[in-house]
Amino acid sequence: SFEDLFSAYTGNSYSSYTGGSVSSGWDYGSNTGKLDTGVDKAAREKYTDIRGGGKDSVTVMIYMCGTDLESQSGMATSDLQEMANATIGSDVNVLVYTGGCTRWRNSIVSSSVNQIYKVESGGLKRIDDDAGSVSMTKPATLAGFIDFCADNYPASRNMLILWDHGGGSISGFGYDQKYKSSG
């Protein structure tokens, strides 16, 4: 039973939480409803300049390393289609760097070279046909994309989305199908 497995794994007895006591070691004290919003004195200054009043501009950078998520399942293509169907305001730039995949499941994105697209309401506009044939797991490739966006699409707010497999602190981010030995 679940109770036996729980007890064997944790060394504690299991009881469902019904307001009674639970012997798992967790403290179910009352919630004070107060959130500590303080910032540690050692924290760096914020990079984001939120202006408000409709004066903000936003650049969203999507670093899309297709890998087997795309070549086997077409997940990147599905996400690109979803982005293309979105309504995007004039003060928002959405840029997508593509690569890391041996086979894209659409007729637009190249599997030979990395490319950069701008997502616009109703479609994708290719703004760099050939961003080189380089590994997407190299820090310089990501840094180059970020620099490109900062130079060509400056904004008061910037966001970066890393699209691919993620292994957390153990194995990191990304896997490039075309450059398997690049780490």
Side-chain angles (χ1 to χ4, degrees), residues 89-163:
S90 61
D91 54 350
V92 177
N93 294 299
V94 179
L95 299 145
V96 183
Y97 187 97
T98 61
C101 187
T102 56
R103 177 179 170 230
W104 288 82
R105 295 199 168 241
N106 62 63
S107 60
I108 298 170
V109 180
S110 172
S111 59
S112 302
V113 295
N114 300 7
Q115 297 175 313
I116 301 175
Y117 292 85
K118 184 170 190 268
V119 182
E120 297 178 340
S121 296
L124 298 174
K125 177 181 178 184
R126 189 177 306 128
I127 57 176
D128 191 341
D129 290 335
D130 185 349
S133 183
V134 293
S135 172
M136 291 196 63
T137 62
K138 297 284 185 191
T141 307
L142 174 58
F145 174 55
I146 294 169
D147 288 344
F148 173 86
C149 293
D151 292 344
N152 295 287
Y153 299 91
S156 61
R157 298 174 66 191
N158 294 284
M159 299 171 201
L160 175 63
I161 297 171
L162 301 175
W163 192 105

Side-chain angles (χ1 to χ4, degrees), residues 57-116:
S57 59
V58 179
T59 294
V60 180
M61 300 167 272
I62 303 167
Y63 194 69
M64 186 173 273
C65 187
T67 65
D68 60 332
L69 294 172
E70 174 60 19
S71 65
Q72 293 178 12
S73 305
M75 293 176 158
T77 292
S78 177
D79 284 354
L80 287 169
Q81 183 62 54
E82 189 175 5
M83 288 180 229
N85 290 337
T87 301
I88 299 173
S90 61
D91 54 350
V92 177
N93 294 299
V94 179
L95 299 145
V96 183
Y97 187 97
T98 61
C101 187
T102 56
R103 177 179 170 230
W104 288 82
R105 295 199 168 241
N106 62 63
S107 60
I108 298 170
V109 180
S110 172
S111 59
S112 302
V113 295
N114 300 7
Q115 297 175 313
I116 301 175

